[in-house]
């Protein structure tokens, strides 16, 4: 699975058919459609399977909690697990990840606690985890802005001679933003160790892909920037992992950035406040449900004898335990200190903020005295 | 040419700089432009701290369109000072990633209105990163913005965007008016852990003071009284400090003693220095090039009034540019606040002088 780019080959467009290593029936593929990439080994595939099952259970649980009003909002990644987990599993813990608001299951894969992932959607603080500890940037809501941060961080790491790669996700809609263009261009001009993964779930809220771009694939855009582009079946976790892994290693060894498009589908609504029946046909959703990324890998692993009933039960139990822990965490009332509002605006002390903090403190004290009477 | 008020400024700077500048006491002061002082500040910051990097459009071999980055690439190499592709959001956005990774980027926006494509990165990320990450990530970065008019620039080259930045929590906004402050404040901006919008009044780039660099002036978050007076407090910043000083000079003929304050820091706001001056004089007026409506002067006037109402003998005045898009070069003289307009405004208080 060489990703070395020969001179002149950057003029070649990505293949028109998505690269895939496993077909929808879970059969290993050979030939042109694999793009020269190899199926990861059984242990890797089993681990990817485990991560997807746990992530799916988490996503379903959080969507249910959102419907119960425990969270203010939650953008589901149901159906996109292969795309997210395949790609994010291809980087090392010391690499950096720059996610968007829909990438909570990828954060889970990065080892971040559910309660910390959900702090923002619960309305507690804009981001709830330690970005440095997990080498994972705060989830970005403004579209494509985080892709520039990934380019900058990767450039800084390279300037300091450290073999760090920055992986960033963006959606199909985000590719229309100016910042996506600027990030692709800066990354390619500076040859930064950055991997851009477009999670093409075919809808930007309600706007379908054909109203987003006139390009044959979003991966085609890579050619114009002078970097390799790969059009990948985003419901094939093996392919997403293999292609991203190769791009990450190429970036790490000075080969510059890569643009990968994972072609997938958002099964759930954009968020809980969205009504997808107004803009897409239920038959389309059913079509994509039959292309489920977890079932596909499961069929393969079972046919290979890798996934036994006992392993499956063990994974299901782990997923249930995580879901239970998530429910429990969301039942607990977080302790919030209103005075902390002022602590994280500036590093340097500001007299005006101190005055406002003191005013709020007095207000809170008066309120609690009133409550005691 | 050194004017009277530039000498004032120099004196102020020399007083504040006494300890830091003492090493250079034997060196004789030489004329230094503001552009030169900024260039030296960048050079010294890069020499002292190898995490400081400088990038932007045309800042490499060209040395910046105003030559503020002149010679930096030659001195420190293309890994420390380099030309970015022509895209301001990209420049600011990548600087964010670099700051997260431990560098101290100093980026240039080339001209004030060229910063607008970077508005989202500055407002949504630069200003908020520390807050949204609960203090876990701070962005020690400086965004240099050559600002304001009076240089004969065509459309989009003479805007005053300070209100946008100053009303954004999380940003620190500085604007020096003279070479000594330009050096000292830029060094402080680069060394600090908060992101700074560093606005450089283009019309002052070539103003010279007799200086020995390096120099340390008053802390960057302080306003400075650049001329003492007893009848009225005139508040300027950046390009209008000179206007205020010229008006103050002219007011002497009318029997008015005008105190002039150089705000220097637009955010944070130095209430204490303003309060002390206004309580002494009882009257205040603020001068800026930007439009009056919703402009920075409204904040200055409101703060002074809220805190000093019973010490004021008259409403706080604003002498500003008109509420129009910045005009073409041949008409800009009509738009910009002049010393005469300042004097007229002061006269509107209908003084009763002894």
């Amino acid at each position: 699975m060489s990703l070395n780019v020969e001179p002149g080959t950057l003029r070649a467009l990505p293949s028109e058919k998505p690269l895939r290593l496993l077909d929808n029936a879970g059969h290993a593929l050979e030939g042109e459609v694999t793009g020269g990439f190899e199926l990861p080994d059984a242990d890797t595939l089993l681990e990817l399977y485990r991560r997807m099952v746990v992530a799916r259970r988490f996503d379903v649980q959080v969507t249910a909690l959102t419907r119960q009003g425990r969270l203010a909002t939650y953008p589901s990644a149901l159906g996109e697990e292969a795309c997210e987990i395949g790609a994010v599993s291809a980087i090392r813990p010391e690499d950096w990840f720059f996610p968007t608001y829909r990438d909570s299951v990828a954060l889970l894969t990065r080892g971040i606690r559910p309660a910390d992932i959900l702090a923002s959607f619960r309305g507690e603080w804009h981001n709830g985890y330690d970005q440095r500890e997990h080498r994972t940037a705060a989830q970005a809501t403004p579209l494509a802005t985080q892709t520039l941060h990934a380019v900058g961080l990767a450039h800084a790491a390279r300037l300091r001679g450290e073999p760090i790669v920055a992986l960033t996700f963006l959606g199909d809609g985000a590719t229309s933003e100016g910042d996506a263009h600027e990030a692709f261009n800066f990354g390619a001009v500076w040859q930064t160790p950055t991997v851009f993964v477009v999670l093409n779930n075919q809808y930007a809220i309600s706007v379908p892909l054909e109203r987003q771009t006139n390009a044959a694939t979003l991966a085609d855009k890579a050619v114009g920037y002078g970097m390799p582009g790969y059009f990948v079946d985003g419901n094939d976790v093996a392919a997403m992992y293999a292609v991203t892994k190769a791009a990450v290693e190429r970036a790490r060894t000075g080969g510059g950035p890569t643009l990968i498009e994972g072609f997938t589908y958002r099964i759930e609504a954009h968020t809980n406040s969205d009504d997808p029946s107004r803009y897409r046909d239920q038959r389309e959703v059913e079509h994509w449900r039959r292309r489920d990324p977890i079932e596909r890998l499961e069929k393969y692993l079972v046919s290979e004898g890798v996934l036994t009933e006992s392993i499956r039960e063990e994974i299901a139990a782990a997923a249930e335990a995580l879901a239970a822990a998530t429910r429990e965490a969301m039942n607990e009332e977080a302790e919030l200190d209103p005075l902390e509002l002022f602590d994280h605006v500036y590093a340097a002390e500001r007299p005006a903020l101190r005055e406002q903090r003191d005013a709020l403190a007095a207000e809170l004290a008066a309120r609690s005295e009133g409550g005691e009477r | 040419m050194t004017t009277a008020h530039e000498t004032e400024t120099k004196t102020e700077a020399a007083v504040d700089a006494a300890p830091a500048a003492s090493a250079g006491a034997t060196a004789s002061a030489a004329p230094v432009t503001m552009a030169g002082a900024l260039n030296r500040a960048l050079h010294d910051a890069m020499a002292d701290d190898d995490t400081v990097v400088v990038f932007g459009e045309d800042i490499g071999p060209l040395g910046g369109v105003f030559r503020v980055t002149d010679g930096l690439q030659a001195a420190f190499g293309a890994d420390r000072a380099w030309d970015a592709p022509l895209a301001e959001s990209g420049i600011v956005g990548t600087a964010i990633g670099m700051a997260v990774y431990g560098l101290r980027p100093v980026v240039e926006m080339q001209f004030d209105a060229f910063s607008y494509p970077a508005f989202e990165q500055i407002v949504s990320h630069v200003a908020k990163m520390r807050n949204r990450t609960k203090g876990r990530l701070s962005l020690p970065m400086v965004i240099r913005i050559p600002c304001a008019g009076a240089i004969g620039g065509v459309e989009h080259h003479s805007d005053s965007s300070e209100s946008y930045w100053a009303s954004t929590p999380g940003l620190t906004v500085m604007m020096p008016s003279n070479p000594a402050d330009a050096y000292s404040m830029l060094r402080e901006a680069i060394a600090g852990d908060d992101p700074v919008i560093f606005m450089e009044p283009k019309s002052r780039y070539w103003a010279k003071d007799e200086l020995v660099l390096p120099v340390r002036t008053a802390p960057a978050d302080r306003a400075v009284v650049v001329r003492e007076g007893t009848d009225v407090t005139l508040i300027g910043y950046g390009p209008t400090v000179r206007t205020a000083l010229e008006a103050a000079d002219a007011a002497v003929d009318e029997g008015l003693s005008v105190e002039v304050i150089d705000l220097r820091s637009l955010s944070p706001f130095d209430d204490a220095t303003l309060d002390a001056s206004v309580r002494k004089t009882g009257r205040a007026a603020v001068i800026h090039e930007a439009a009056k409506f919703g402009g920075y002067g409204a904040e200055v006037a409101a703060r002074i009034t809220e805190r000093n109402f019973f010490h004021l003998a008259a409403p706080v005045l604003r002498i500003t540019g008109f509420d129009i898009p910045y005009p073409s070069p041949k008409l800009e003289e009509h738009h910009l606040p002049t010393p005469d307009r300042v004097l007229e405004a002061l006269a509107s208080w209908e003084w009763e002088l002894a």
Side-chain angles (χ1 to χ4, degrees):
Chain A
M1 57 176 187
S2 160
L3 209 81
N4 292 321
V5 180
E6 300 300 326
T9 56
L10 288 183
R11 291 180 178 281
L13 286 167
S15 65
E16 283 175 31
K17 281 189 176 174
L19 295 179
R20 64 171 64 113
L21 302 177
L22 290 177
D23 70 12
N24 196 38
H27 299 130
L29 295 169
E30 286 179 357
E32 206 179 328
V33 72
T34 66
F37 292 92
E38 285 168 18
L39 199 62
D41 62 47
D43 283 352
T44 303
L45 289 175
L46 189 59
E47 176 61 16
L48 290 170
Y49 173 79
R50 189 186 65 77
R51 290 177 181 189
M52 287 201 294
V53 170
V54 170
R56 167 78 53 95
R57 185 65 191 90
F58 172 80
D59 199 271
V60 167
Q61 179 63 72
V62 179
T63 299
L65 287 165
T66 307
R67 286 184 183 130
Q68 293 163 20
R70 302 267 176 186
L71 290 94
T73 189
Y74 178 70
S76 165
L78 192 84
E80 303 178 40
E81 295 89 349
C83 215
E84 296 214 6
I85 287 157
V88 83
S89 295
I91 58 171
R92 299 176 184 167
E94 65 266 29
D95 291 329
W96 273 77
F97 174 49
F98 289 79
T100 78
Y101 53 82
R102 196 178 299 287
D103 305 330
S104 299
V105 297
L107 300 185
L108 196 65
T109 302
R110 287 291 273 174
I112 303 174
R113 290 172 57 232
D116 294 344
I117 295 170
L118 298 173
S120 61
F121 297 123
R122 225 186 157 196
E124 292 164 7
W125 201 273
H126 296 310
N127 282 100
Y129 49 89
D130 188 325
Q131 290 77 29
R132 288 194 194 284
E133 181 192 347
H134 298 285
R135 296 228 165 187
T136 300
Q139 284 173 285
T141 303
L143 300 184
T145 52
Q146 77 286 354
T147 59
L148 282 164
H149 308 168
V151 171
L153 184 132
H155 189 62
R158 203 168 66 117
L159 287 177
R160 296 173 70 150
E162 290 162 15
I164 297 295
V165 173
L167 169 72
T168 181
F169 286 0
L170 65 159
D172 42 304
T175 64
S176 296
E177 292 277 2
D179 275 5
H181 159 67
E182 294 188 24
F184 299 157
N185 191 49
F186 275 59
V189 171
W190 292 350
Q191 286 288 288
T192 64
T194 314
V195 177
F196 303 101
V197 173
V198 177
L199 291 98
N200 178 1
N201 66 21
Q202 305 186 53
Y203 286 91
I205 304 189
S206 69
V207 178
L209 188 63
E210 65 267 23
R211 295 204 176 274
Q212 201 65 244
T213 182
N214 198 38
T217 76
L218 295 171
D220 283 6
K221 292 171 186 279
V223 181
Y225 296 101
M227 65 175 154
Y230 292 88
F231 179 45
V232 183
D233 182 337
N235 284 21
D236 177 3
V237 72
M240 283 303 298
Y241 176 82
V243 175
T244 312
K245 182 96 177 156
V248 166
E249 290 319 312
R250 197 175 75 86
R252 201 185 305 284
T253 52
T258 301
L259 176 61
I260 298 165
E261 174 186 0
F263 189 73
T264 182
Y265 192 80
R266 159 162 60 77
I267 298 289
E268 281 277 357
H270 169 67
T271 66
N272 51 308
S273 43
D274 174 32
D275 176 9
S277 71
R278 292 174 75 109
Y279 56 81
R280 66 184 191 187
D281 194 325
Q282 191 55 30
R283 283 171 301 187
E284 182 184 286
V285 182
E286 292 312 317
H287 169 80
W288 281 93
R289 275 191 195 281
R290 290 192 296 272
R291 308 178 68 77
D292 188 88
I294 298 179
E295 285 174 20
R296 185 189 305 198
L297 181 59
E298 190 172 282
K299 284 176 197 159
Y300 173 77
L301 291 175
V302 168
S303 72
E304 292 292 304
V306 175
L307 181 62
T308 61
E309 196 50 41
S310 70
I311 296 176
R312 200 207 308 254
E313 281 170 14
E314 182 194 313
I315 292 172
E320 276 313 316
L322 182 92
T326 304
R327 279 196 304 273
E328 230 166 84
M330 292 302 104
N331 283 336
E332 280 170 25
E333 210 43 63
E335 275 187 41
L336 300 174
D337 178 4
L339 296 180
E340 207 181 354
L341 287 171
F342 301 94
D343 291 347
H344 311 299
V345 186
Y346 295 97
E349 172 118 330
R350 282 211 168 190
L353 275 193
R354 199 176 51 226
E355 279 174 25
Q356 292 176 3
R357 184 184 193 278
D358 291 348
L360 179 59
E363 205 180 302
L364 293 170
R367 216 184 288 168
S368 82
E369 270 174 35
E372 276 163 18
R373 271 201 295 274
Chain B
M1 193 186 79
T2 306
T3 63
H5 55 261
E6 278 165 347
T7 308
E8 289 269 354
T9 309
K10 186 190 70 186
T11 309
E12 183 65 43
V15 168
D16 284 311
S22 60
T26 52
S28 60
V32 178
T33 63
M34 181 188 272
L38 291 165
N39 177 253
R40 176 71 187 278
L42 290 171
H43 183 281
D44 291 357
M46 293 176 82
D48 285 358
D49 179 353
D50 65 10
T51 64
V52 176
V53 296
V54 172
F55 67 103
E57 294 150 14
D58 307 298
I59 67 97
L62 182 66
V65 293
F66 296 105
R67 305 293 180 266
V68 171
T69 54
D70 197 20
L72 297 179
Q73 192 173 71
F76 298 100
D79 281 355
R80 300 282 307 281
W82 70 91
D83 285 329
L86 203 160
E88 290 76 11
S89 189
I91 290 167
V92 173
T94 54
I96 291 170
M98 291 176 210
V100 168
Y101 205 73
L103 297 183
R104 286 182 180 267
V106 182
V107 299
E108 179 180 296
M109 293 285 98
Q110 198 160 84
F111 282 93
D112 29 56
F114 296 6
S115 66
Y116 302 152
F119 193 82
E120 181 182 30
Q121 286 287 352
I122 296 174
V123 170
S124 293
H125 291 301
V126 175
K128 292 180 182 167
M129 190 65 84
R130 185 179 177 81
N131 187 252
R132 57 203 287 266
T133 65
K134 221 171 188 174
R136 294 183 187 105
L137 297 184
S138 60
L139 297 179
M141 58 187 280
V142 178
I143 301 171
R144 292 182 38 245
I145 306 182
C147 70
I151 59 157
V154 294
E155 200 180 15
H156 309 301
H157 289 71
S158 297
D159 276 24
S160 294
S161 55
E162 65 267 23
S163 292
Y164 308 144
W165 315 125
S167 68
T168 302
L171 297 179
T172 295
V173 185
M174 300 179 188
M175 198 189 301
S177 71
N178 61 74
D181 275 348
Y183 180 90
S184 184
M185 290 166 74
L186 184 54
R187 290 299 305 270
E188 202 176 314
I190 295 169
D193 287 331
D194 284 315
V196 176
I197 304 291
F198 196 86
M199 307 195 73
E200 302 167 3
K202 294 186 285 281
S203 62
R204 302 295 288 154
Y205 268 144
W206 303 283
K208 284 180 187 168
D209 275 347
E210 306 279 320
L211 265 188
V212 178
L213 294 176
V215 65
R216 285 298 172 141
T217 62
D221 60 354
R222 305 272 173 78
V224 165
V225 177
V226 291
R227 178 192 168 105
E228 302 236 359
T230 53
D231 295 331
V232 55
T233 301
L234 255 186
I235 302 142
Y237 54 85
T240 59
V241 174
R242 179 167 58 179
T243 318
L245 287 165
E246 285 173 8
D249 283 349
V252 173
D253 296 339
E254 317 207 359
L256 280 183
S257 168
V258 176
E259 180 148 301
V260 175
I261 289 183
D262 181 350
L263 222 42
R264 301 166 85 249
S265 173
L266 305 193
S267 176
F269 188 90
D270 180 2
D271 289 297
T273 300
L274 270 290
D275 291 351
S277 177
V278 168
R279 288 175 186 214
K280 179 175 70 172
T281 62
R283 292 172 195 256
V286 54
I287 318 171
H288 59 62
E289 290 187 12
K292 178 180 268 185
F293 190 89
Y296 189 77
E299 177 66 25
V300 176
R303 294 187 84 86
I304 291 173
T305 307
E306 279 177 354
R307 300 167 65 94
N308 307 287
F309 184 71
F310 294 108
H311 299 271
L312 287 170
V316 181
L317 297 179
R318 292 171 286 163
I319 303 104
T320 71
F322 299 129
D323 294 337
I324 58 171
Y326 196 88
S328 293
K330 287 183 178 170
L331 294 168
E332 69 180 343
E333 61 172 307
H334 302 291
H335 171 70
L336 294 168
T338 57
D340 280 349
R341 266 188 209 157
V342 176
L343 293 173
E344 267 174 46
L346 301 190
S348 75
W349 277 324
E350 295 174 6
W351 291 90
E352 288 176 25
L353 289 168

